[in-house]
Structure formats: C-alpha cells, structure tokens
Amino acid sequence: MNVVSVAKRDFLDVRRAKLVWAPAALYVLFMLLFYWGQSNSSEPEFYWVLWNLAGLGGALVIPLVALVAAYLSIAGERESGSIKYQLSLPVSRTDVVAGKLLARSAVVTVALLAAFAVGIVAARVLVPDMSLEYGEYAAFAGLTLLYALAYVCVAVGISAATASRSRAMAGAIGFFFVFNLVWNFLPVGPTRMVEFALDRAGIDYSETLLEFVFSLSPTGAYLNGMGLVFPSDFGPLQAVGAGSGVGDPFYVQDWFMLVILLGWVVLPLALGRWRLERADLG
C-alpha cells in the first residue's frame, strides 16, 4: 500500500510536466514524418515505417523520453530535502524506489501508447492504401515499451544513487552517451575495441561474439530484437544481421534480447536501491 501511495502522489506531480511530454511529442512527430514519407511512395510499405521508427526513434527519442521522465524522480527530492518528510511517514526507502518506478513507468507508457494510437490514425489518414499489420505493430509497441522501461529503470537507479539534481543529470547524460551513442554507433565502441584487441592478439573469434557485445547495451538489444517483429525475409533486417536464426548461439537469438533488456530492468534498480539504503540523508 505504501508503494501505491508513493506512486500515486508522484504520478499526480509529474503528469503535467512539459519537459516529460516534449520527447514523447517528438516521437509522434517522427512517426508522422515516416508515414508522410510513405504517402509519397508508389508502393507504401508499412514495415519501412516501423524500421525507420526503430532506428531513429529507438536510438534517440525513446531513451530521451525515459531518461527525462525519471532522472530526477528521487534525486530532486533528496536535494530539496522533501524525501525526509516522506520517509518520516510509514514509507521505506524501498517503497520510494518502487513507487517512483511505477509512477514514471506509467507516465512513459501512457505517452508511448498515445503515440502508437496516433500512428494508427496517421496511417489511415496519410496512407489509406497501405496495409497495416496490427499483429506486428502490437509486437513492435510491446518491444518498444520494454526498451523504454529499461531506460526508466536506469534513470530511477541513477536518481536513487545520487544526492543532487546536477549529479543525476550528469549520470543520465553520461549513460545515454556511453551506452547509446558510443556503444552502438561510434567506431570507438566496445564492439570495435574487442575486435581490435582479438585481432592484435591473434585470437580467432566469430561474428556472433561481436554481435553479442553490441547487444549488451539496451539499444543494441532493442535493435537486434527486431527479428521478433519483422518478417524474416525483410531485406534491411537481413542486411544488418538482426533477426538471428535458430542455428545461431542462444546469446544472439531474438528471444535472448528480451533477457538482456530484463537485465537492464533489474540491475540498475537493485544498485540504486542499494545506494539509497546506505545513503546518509541528513
């Protein structure tokens, strides 16, 4: 009951914050642009909309939606001192972490579900001749919500582990930069570093090992999990090596990407709670 009361109070406080909804509006804008782009095509393809949305929206906008919504959830109250009043009630620190997670996850989920609902309307209005695959659309929405939840958990974990707004912001920006941009898109990322080190050491390795390293970040797992959404013969999916077949090692198969994302749900929260439990709140 304490968790629910914390979540309800936090949801009511944060639901009107414009900063929280702005990235979600950006996600809707990208979706509308992708549908509009297909409206100019002689053969509009629904899967191209999802593919573009997974790439640009998944790599840039979804992490921003989740991090902005949750990075101040606890650190802000620690800096202002209001968390001491909350903890004077019959509420434990674990209740605070769990309640904040529920509230911020609810905000992000509502925002993204609204965006996907707008997407269906936009498809019908902008590209009436395009065939909508509702099953795949639902699978894409579910995978995206799990991905967003992983980032919410990271943000709440960072917020629980830091004592000020500035540190929480630095942690959120640092995580986004390292585990999103550097890890998956820059040539100095861990995948290329592992490849370079193994080459220099003369050690044989497989491409699946490098694919596994790429998948260890939330964004890498999300992108490589797209095989759960798209048909196996979708060209761009085969070109980037996502959608691993049954014969591949388990750690690069589509279903294991869900395990990695669930790991990002659990571990940051556990570390954040551990740090908050031992923090001196004055």
Side-chain angles (χ1 to χ4, degrees):
M1 187 62 187
N2 293 335
V3 174
V4 175
S5 63
V6 172
K8 183 178 179 180
R9 172 179 171 272
D10 190 62
F11 183 84
L12 294 175
D13 288 342
V14 77
R15 62 177 176 168
R16 294 189 179 88
K18 295 179 181 178
L19 188 61
V20 172
W21 294 99
L26 183 62
Y27 190 74
V28 173
L29 177 60
F30 277 127
M31 185 180 290
L32 294 177
L33 287 175
F34 294 145
Y35 278 121
W36 177 79
Q38 288 300 309
S39 69
N40 296 317
S41 172
S42 58
E43 296 181 1
E45 175 58 62
F46 171 70
Y47 289 116
W48 274 109
V49 175
L50 294 189
W51 183 255
N52 291 327
L53 200 58
L56 186 58
L60 177 63
V61 183
I62 294 297
L64 290 178
V65 171
L67 291 173
V68 168
Y71 83 97
L72 282 181
S73 56
I74 298 175
E77 293 189 355
R78 286 183 64 178
E79 185 173 85
S80 67
S82 61
I83 194 172
K84 289 186 288 187
Y85 167 75
Q86 194 170 41
L87 292 173
S88 68
L89 303 172
V91 173
S92 69
R93 299 186 187 196
T94 300
D95 293 335
V96 171
V97 174
K100 297 292 184 180
L101 172 65
L102 287 177
R104 305 305 167 115
S105 298
V107 170
V108 171
T109 299
V110 169
L112 291 180
L113 288 178
F116 288 122
V118 170
I120 294 176
V121 176
R124 289 302 185 195
V125 173
L126 296 177
V127 206
D129 296 332
M130 185 176 69
S131 176
L132 277 176
E133 304 294 340
Y134 288 102
E136 285 78 359
Y137 194 64
F140 180 82
L143 182 59
T144 302
L145 288 175
L146 177 59
Y147 174 52
L149 176 61
Y151 263 99
V152 169
C153 290
V154 167
V156 172
I158 290 173
S159 195
T162 51
S164 67
R165 292 169 177 263
S166 58
R167 290 179 182 177
M169 179 181 292
I173 293 174
F175 186 90
F176 176 80
F177 184 75
V178 173
F179 284 93
N180 193 319
L181 301 181
V182 173
W183 198 289
N184 299 117
F185 302 107
L186 297 185
V188 295
T191 305
R192 299 281 76 84
M193 293 174 68
V194 169
E195 182 181 22
F196 175 79
L198 293 176
D199 284 337
R200 297 285 291 182
I203 299 175
D204 292 333
Y205 61 90
S206 65
E207 287 298 320
T208 55
L209 173 63
L210 301 180
E211 199 64 35
F212 174 65
V213 175
F214 178 87
S215 302
L216 287 177
S217 72
T219 300
Y222 174 66
L223 295 177
N224 280 349
M226 283 298 149
L228 297 168
V229 176
F230 291 89
S232 58
D233 60 348
F234 185 61
L237 191 70
Q238 296 176 330
V240 300
S244 303
V246 177
D248 289 328
F250 74 91
Y251 49 81
V252 293
Q253 291 189 22
D254 301 330
W255 66 268
F256 195 72
M257 300 302 110
L258 302 180
V259 176
I260 295 175
L261 286 175
L262 288 174
W264 282 108
V265 169
V266 174
L267 291 179
L269 277 179
L271 291 173
R273 175 192 167 278
W274 178 78
R275 288 281 298 173
L276 184 63
E277 286 286 349
R278 286 155 180 77
D280 181 7
L281 301 180

